[in-house]
C-alpha cells in the first residue's frame, strides 16, 4: 500500500528534481549542464542553418547573383553545418562519461542507503521494492537518471528552434500558426495517451517480463542443476516458460494495438496540418507574389515548426516520466530511519569491560505478521555470562538474538545495555560491541585473510592465523595454494576456491573471533560441521568466550551444557531456564526434548562409540 501511495503521488516535482540533478552534477561533474546547453545550441543551430540554405541559394539564383558568391555561400553554410554537427558529436560521445558519473553517484547513494539503513527496513517489502525500482532507474546509460540530461538537451533544442521558426513565420497570418500549434498539440495528446497507457501498465509489463526472464534463466542456474535433473523438472519449467511467454506476447499485442491507433491519428493530423498550411502558402504566393525563395523558406519553416512544438511537448512528457523515477529515488533516500545513527549518542567501546544486556518486558512482532514472535520476555544476560538459547524451530531464538544485537527494536518493552535503553545510542557504535556467526553467511569473493579481517589493508596476519586455528580451519587453509591469500568464490576469480558448507561456517567463526568484540553471538555455529569439528569447537568454547559475554543458539541440546545458563524458548516466551542438569532434573519441556534427542544415541550409536550411558556426551544428540 505504501509503495503504491509513493508511486501514485510523487513527493518531488519536475523542477525540484532538475535542481536536485544539477546540484549533484555541480558536485560531481560540472561539465554536464554546460555540455547539455552547448549540445542544444549546436543541434538547433544546425537545424536553423539547414532551414536557410535552400532559400538563400535559390534567392541568389533568382537575383542572378555571381556564381562565385553563391559557391562561397554554399561553402560557408557547409562549414557552419560541419562545425555545429562536429561539436555536437564530440560532446555527445566524449562527454557521456560525465553524465555517467552523475548516475554512478546516485547509484552509490542508493547502495549506501541500502547497506546502512535500519535493519528493520530491509525486512519491509515496500522498502525492498523501492530499492529495486531505484536501482533499475540507474542501471544503464539509457536509464532515466542518465537520459534526463539528453531530455533537457532536446527541450532546449526544441525551444530555441521554436523561437527562431516563430520569428521566421511572424510575417504570416497568426491563424495559420495557431492551426499548426493546435494540430501538433493534438498529436502530442494522442501520443501521451499511449505513454500513459504504458506507464499505467508498466508493472504488468515488467512482471510478465521478469517472470519470463526468471524461467528462461532457471535452466542455466547452477544451484538448480541437481534438482532439475533428479526431480525431472524440465517439462514443468518448459511449460511454465511457455505460459509466461504467452502472457508476455499478449501484453505486447495489446500495447501494439493502442500504439497503432495513436499513429493513425498522428498521420491524419499531420496530413490536415500540412494541407491547410500549404493551401494557405500557395494562396499568398499567388496573391502577394512571393518569390520562390520566400515560398520555400515558409514552406520548410511550417513543416519544421510543428516538429518543434511536438518536440517540446514530448520532451516535457519524457522529463515528467524521468522526474517520477527521480522522485522515487529521492523518496527512497529519505526513507525514515527508525534507528538512531549519527543523530544518536556516541557509544565508546570500553576495553576490558564486560557488558550486561537486559530485555525488559520485550515483545516483538514482525511487520505485517498477525501475532507476536516474542511476548513479554524478561532476560538479564549478565556480564561475562555464557548463555545458551534452545527451542523448537520457529520458537523465536534468532529473533531474540536480533533484538539483543540491535537489528530489531522491540514492539513493546526495552533492550538495555548496562541499564540504558539502546535506542539512545548511535546504532553503528552499538554494533561495534558484537561479533556474530549467523545462520546465513556473507562471504565476499576475496581472499581468506580479507574475509576473516573484513578489510583490505592493515590485516593482522598473525591474528588471522590464530583465529583460523581456533575455528579449526588453519590446516585446510594451509593446504591451499596461497594459504590465507587464496581467493574464495568463483563469481570474481576464476581460480577461486569453493569452500564446503562446514568450512565456510568455520571461516565465519574465525571472522567473529578476529573482531574480538565483547559480546559474541553464535546462531547454530556448528550446524554444518562434522561431529569431530563440532566437538573441537565445543572443547575450545571456554577459551573463545573467555572475558566475553556470549549467546549461543543450538539445536543440539547436549552442546549447551558448558554454558552457564540455558533458556528454553517456547511459543515466544522463556518457558524454562537453568543449567543443563537442573533443567533435566525439572523434567519439563527441555528434559523431554533431550530425551528424544539422546534416545538414538543411547539405543545405538552412542553405545557403539562408547558414549556415556546417560547420553550426555558432548557429541551426542541429533537436531530438533
Ligand atoms: N522476516 C520475518 N518476517 C515475518 N516473520 C518472520 C520473519 N523472520 C522470522 N519470522 C517468524 O518468526 C518466528 C520465529 O522465527 P525465528 O527465526 O526467530 O525462529 P528460530 O527459533 O530461530 O527458528 P529456527 O530454529 O528454525 O532457526 C517464525 O514463526 C518465523 O516465521
Amino acid at each position: 500500500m505504501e509503495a503504491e501511495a509513493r508511486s501514485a503521488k510523487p513527493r518531488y516535482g519536475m523542477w525540484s528534481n532538475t535542481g536536485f540533478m544539477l546540484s549533484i552534477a555541480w558536485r560531481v561533474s560540472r561539465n554536464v549542464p554546460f555540455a547539455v546547453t552547448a549540445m542544444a545550441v549546436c543541434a538547433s543551430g544546425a537545424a536553423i542553418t539547414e532551414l536557410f540554405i535552400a532559400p538563400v541559394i535559390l534567392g541568389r539564383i533568382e537575383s542572378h547573383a555571381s556564381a562565385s558568391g553563391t559557391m562561397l555561400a554554399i561553402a560557408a553554410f557547409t562549414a557552419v553545418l560541419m562545425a555545429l554537427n562536429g561539436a555536437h558529436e564530440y560532446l555527445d560521445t566524449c562527454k557521456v562519461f560525465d553524465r555517467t558519473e552523475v548516475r554512478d553517484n546516485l547509484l552509490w547513494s542508493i547502495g549506501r542507503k541500502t547497506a546502512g539503513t535500519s535493519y528493520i527496513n530491509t525486512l519491509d517489502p515496500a522498502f525492498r521494492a523501492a530499492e529495486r525500482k531505484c536501482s533499475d532507474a540507474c542501471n544503464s546509460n539509457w536509464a532515466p537518471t542518465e537520459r534526463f540530461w539528453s531530455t533537457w538537451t532536446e527541450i532546449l533544442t526544441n525551444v530555441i528552434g521554436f523561437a527562431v521558426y516563430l520569428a521566421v513565420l511572424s510575417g504570416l497570418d497568426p491563424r495559420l500558426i495557431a492551426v499548426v500549434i493546435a494540430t501538433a498539440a493534438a498529436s502530442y495528446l494522442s501520443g501521451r495517451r499511449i505513454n500513459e497507457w504504458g506507464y499505467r501498465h508498466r508493472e504488468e509489463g515488467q512482471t510478465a517480463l521478469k517472470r519470463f526472464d526468471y524461467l528462461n534463466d532457471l535452466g542455466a542456474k547452477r544451484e538448480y542443476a541437481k534438482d532439475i535433473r533428479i526431480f525431472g523438472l524440465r517439462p514443468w519449467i518448459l511449460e511454465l516458460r511457455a505460459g509466461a511467454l504467452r502472457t508476455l506476447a499478449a501484453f505486447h499485442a495489446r500495447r501494439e494495438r493502442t500504439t497503432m491507433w495513436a499513429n493513425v491519428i498522428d498521420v491524419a493530423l499531420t496530413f490536415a496540418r500540412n494541407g491547410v498550411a500549404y493551401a494557405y502558402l500557395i494562396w499568398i504566393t499567388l496573391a502577394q507574389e512571393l518569390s520562390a525563395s520566400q515560398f520555400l523558406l515558409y514552406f520548410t519553416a511550417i513543416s519544421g515548426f510543428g516538429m518543434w512544438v511536438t518536440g517540446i511537448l514530448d520532451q516535457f512528457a519524457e522529463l515528467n516520466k524521468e522526474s517520477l523515477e527521480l522522485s522515487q529515488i529521492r523518496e527512497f533516500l529519505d526513507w525514515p530511519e527508525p534507528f538512531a545513527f549519527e543523530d544518536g549518542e556516541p557509544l565508546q567501546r570500553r576495553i576490558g569491560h564486560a557488558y550486561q544486556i537486559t530485555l525488559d518486558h520485550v515483545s516483538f512482532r514482525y511487520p505485517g505478521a498477525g501475532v507476536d514472535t516474542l511476548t513479554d520476555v524478561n532476560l538479564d544476560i549478565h556480564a561475562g555470562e555464557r548463555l545458551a538459547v534452545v527451542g523448537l524451530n520457529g520458537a523465536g531464538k534468532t529473533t531474540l538474538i536480533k533484538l539483543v544485537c540491535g537489528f530489531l527494536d522491540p514492539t513493546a518493552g526495552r533492550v538495555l545495555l548496562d541499564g540504558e535503553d539502546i535506542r539512545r545510542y548511535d546504532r553503528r557504535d552499538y554494533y561495534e560491541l558484537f561479533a556474530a556467526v549467523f545462520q546465513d553467511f556473507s562471504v565476499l569473493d576475496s581472499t581468506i585473510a580479507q574475509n576473516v579481517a573484513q578489510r583490505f589493508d592493515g590485516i593482522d596476519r598473525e591474528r588471522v592465523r590464530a583465529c583460523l586455528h581456533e575455528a579449526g580451519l588453519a590446516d585446510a587453509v594451509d593446504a591451499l595454494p596461497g594459504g590465507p591469500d587464496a581467493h574464495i568464490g568463483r563469481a570474481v576469480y576464476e581460480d577461486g576456491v569453493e569452500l564446503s558448507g562446514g568450512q565456510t561456517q568455520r571461516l565465519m567463526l574465525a571472522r567473529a573471533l578476529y573482531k574480538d568484540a565483547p559480546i559474541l553471538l553464535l546462531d547454530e555455529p556448528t550446524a554444518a560441521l562434522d561431529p569431530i569439528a563440532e566437538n573441537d569447537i565445543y572443547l575450545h568454547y571456554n577459551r573463545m568466550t573467555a572475558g566475553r559475554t556470549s549467546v549461543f543458539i543450538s539445536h543440539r541440546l547436549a552442546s549447551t551444557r558448558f554454558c552457564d545458563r540455558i533458556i528454553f524458548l517456547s511459543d515466544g516466551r522463556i518457558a524454562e531456564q537453568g543449567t543443563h542438569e537442573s533443567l533435566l532434573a525439572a523434567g519439563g519441556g527441555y528434559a523431554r526434548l533431550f530425551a528424544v534427542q539422546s534416545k538414538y544415541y543411547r539405543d545405538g550409536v552412542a553405545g557403539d562409540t562408547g558414549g556415556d550411558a546417560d547420553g550426555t556426551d558432548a557429541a551426542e544428540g541429533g537436531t530438533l
Side-chain angles (χ1 to χ4, degrees):
M1 284 299 286
E2 195 183 352
E4 274 170 33
R6 278 167 193 281
S7 61
K9 212 167 178 220
R11 192 183 304 159
Y12 299 99
M14 203 163 66
W15 297 106
S16 161
N17 289 327
T18 300
F20 170 73
M21 288 296 272
L22 281 172
S23 72
I24 299 179
W26 200 250
R27 273 188 286 113
V28 177
S29 182
R30 292 189 181 181
N31 285 335
V32 174
F34 295 114
V36 164
T37 316
M39 280 172 71
V41 169
C42 291
S44 55
I48 293 162
T49 307
E50 279 172 1
L51 170 71
F52 284 101
I53 295 178
V56 168
I57 303 300
L58 192 61
R60 289 186 66 83
I61 294 168
E62 273 180 329
S63 62
H64 305 290
S66 69
S68 59
T70 305
M71 293 304 287
L72 210 62
I74 293 174
F77 275 122
T78 312
V80 170
L81 272 181
M82 279 176 65
L84 289 171
N85 286 330
H88 186 273
E89 276 309 298
Y90 167 77
L91 291 167
D92 200 24
T93 46
C94 299
K95 295 294 164 195
V96 71
F97 301 108
D98 297 336
R99 285 178 253 161
T100 306
E101 271 184 57
V102 177
R103 175 169 62 82
D104 277 351
N105 184 273
L106 272 173
L107 208 51
W108 186 78
S109 301
I110 294 165
R112 215 167 78 112
K113 174 77 178 183
T114 311
T117 192
S118 308
Y119 181 82
I120 188 85
N121 280 345
T122 67
L123 305 179
D124 181 351
F127 180 87
R128 291 204 305 268
E131 193 275 326
R132 267 197 308 277
K133 277 188 190 165
C134 293
S135 300
D136 285 351
C138 299
N139 65 2
S140 74
N141 295 112
W142 297 272
T145 43
E146 195 164 326
R147 234 174 33 222
F148 171 85
W149 300 113
S150 316
T151 306
W152 263 114
T153 302
E154 292 289 326
I155 289 175
L156 293 178
T157 306
N158 283 290
V159 166
I160 298 171
F162 175 83
V164 173
Y165 275 50
L166 189 64
V168 169
L169 296 173
S170 59
L172 300 181
D173 189 334
R175 282 174 302 180
L176 175 69
I177 296 176
V179 166
V180 175
I181 292 180
T183 47
S187 277
Y188 159 77
L189 286 176
S190 80
R192 203 175 77 162
R193 281 176 63 87
I194 306 295
N195 285 340
E196 279 173 358
W197 188 93
Y199 200 77
R200 268 202 317 278
H201 294 79
R202 190 170 70 142
E203 296 280 320
E204 189 188 338
Q206 279 175 354
T207 308
L209 185 64
K210 240 189 255 168
R211 186 172 157 74
F212 176 72
D213 282 347
Y214 166 74
L215 291 163
N216 210 25
D217 295 344
L218 206 60
K221 286 204 173 130
R222 207 177 130 196
E223 58 268 38
Y224 291 98
K226 292 197 290 294
D227 286 351
I228 287 174
R229 281 155 185 79
I230 205 90
F231 292 107
L233 300 182
R234 200 166 151 260
W236 182 43
I237 292 172
L238 288 178
E239 204 179 306
L240 288 173
R241 183 183 173 281
L245 185 59
R246 277 195 297 276
T247 311
L248 189 61
F251 175 78
H252 281 301
R254 269 165 61 217
R255 198 180 59 186
E256 289 313 311
R257 274 198 296 277
T258 321
T259 312
M260 190 189 75
W261 281 115
N263 288 340
V264 168
I265 293 170
D266 188 41
V267 168
L269 285 169
T270 308
F271 188 71
R273 177 172 65 228
N274 290 347
V276 169
Y278 299 154
Y280 170 80
L281 271 185
I282 290 166
W283 174 72
I284 59 161
T285 305
L286 295 175
Q288 298 177 14
E289 297 191 347
L290 286 185
S291 67
S293 58
Q294 278 174 310
F295 176 83
L296 185 61
L297 179 66
Y298 287 139
F299 189 88
T300 323
I302 284 180
S303 331
F305 188 63
M307 229 173 53
W308 297 124
V309 175
T310 28
I312 291 172
L313 295 170
D314 277 345
Q315 293 307 318
F316 266 112
E318 199 58 39
L319 189 70
N320 197 32
K321 275 195 280 175
E322 287 154 9
S323 171
L324 288 177
E325 311 272 353
L326 284 169
S327 183
Q328 269 180 1
I329 292 176
R330 294 176 71 188
E331 287 167 48
F332 177 74
L333 296 177
D334 298 342
W335 201 284
E337 292 296 346
F339 299 170
F341 292 112
E342 288 80 8
D343 48 334
E345 221 175 280
L347 180 62
Q348 288 292 336
R349 180 174 153 185
R350 288 148 67 192
I351 304 297
H353 177 72
Y355 291 90
Q356 159 145 349
I357 294 188
T358 306
L359 270 60
D360 176 27
H361 294 287
V362 163
S363 295
F364 182 77
R365 180 177 297 198
Y366 281 100
V371 290
D372 285 350
T373 294
L374 292 175
T375 314
D376 198 27
V377 172
N378 286 301
L379 174 67
D380 273 319
I381 308 173
H382 305 297
E385 184 180 23
R386 286 166 305 178
L387 179 78
V389 183
V390 299
L392 293 175
N393 287 137
K397 304 180 291 296
T398 301
T399 307
L400 183 102
I401 273 205
K402 286 180 177 167
L403 283 156
V404 166
C405 72
F407 282 166
L408 305 171
D409 272 344
T411 31
R414 300 178 304 161
V415 177
L416 309 171
L417 176 74
D418 289 342
E420 298 293 339
D421 193 324
I422 66 164
R423 280 177 280 215
R424 60 188 278 195
Y425 298 122
D426 179 337
R427 197 58 65 99
R428 291 190 189 108
D429 285 352
Y430 183 69
Y431 294 147
E432 281 303 307
L433 306 181
F434 294 89
V437 177
F438 294 110
Q439 287 184 31
D440 35 3
F441 311 133
S442 58
V443 182
L444 250 72
D445 274 30
S446 62
T447 68
I448 291 189
Q450 284 172 20
N451 264 288
V452 171
Q454 294 285 288
R455 57 175 61 218
F456 189 74
D457 287 321
I459 297 174
D460 182 342
R461 299 185 72 83
E462 277 310 305
R463 201 155 105 215
V464 167
R465 171 155 292 282
C467 294
L468 287 170
H469 178 74
E470 199 79 343
L473 196 60
D475 291 345
V477 169
D478 284 342
L480 296 172
D485 293 320
H487 286 120
I488 37 179
R490 298 250 163 97
V492 179
Y493 304 101
E494 277 181 16
D495 61 343
V497 178
E498 299 248 25
L499 296 182
S500 72
Q503 286 170 333
T504 310
Q505 196 157 36
R506 292 189 220 190
L507 184 71
M508 295 296 95
L509 184 59
R511 178 176 77 171
L513 296 174
Y514 186 94
K515 188 172 174 189
D516 195 23
I519 306 163
L520 185 62
L521 304 174
L522 302 169
D523 191 351
E524 296 186 50
T526 60
L529 300 192
D530 61 56
I532 294 177
E534 191 179 13
N535 195 44
D536 220 35
I537 299 286
Y538 297 154
L539 292 175
H540 291 159
Y541 192 70
N542 281 354
R543 210 166 62 212
M544 277 184 220
T545 53
R548 296 186 175 122
T549 307
S550 69
V551 182
F552 175 58
I553 293 182
S554 180
H555 281 157
R556 227 180 286 276
L557 298 188
S559 69
T560 58
R561 279 184 313 162
F562 43 78
C563 291
D564 302 316
R565 184 165 50 130
I566 299 166
I567 60 171
F568 175 61
L569 279 185
S570 177
D571 292 333
R573 294 175 190 271
I574 299 179
E576 296 166 28
Q577 58 181 308
T579 61
H580 177 68
E581 288 71 24
S582 71
L583 287 172
L584 282 189
Y590 179 90
R592 278 195 296 279
L593 287 176
F594 185 75
V596 172
Q597 270 194 352
S598 53
K599 177 173 176 290
Y600 297 101
Y601 287 80
R602 270 203 307 272
D603 292 352
V605 185
D608 298 342
T609 55
D612 295 351
D614 65 355
T616 53
D617 189 286
E620 76 191 329
T623 53
L624 291 178

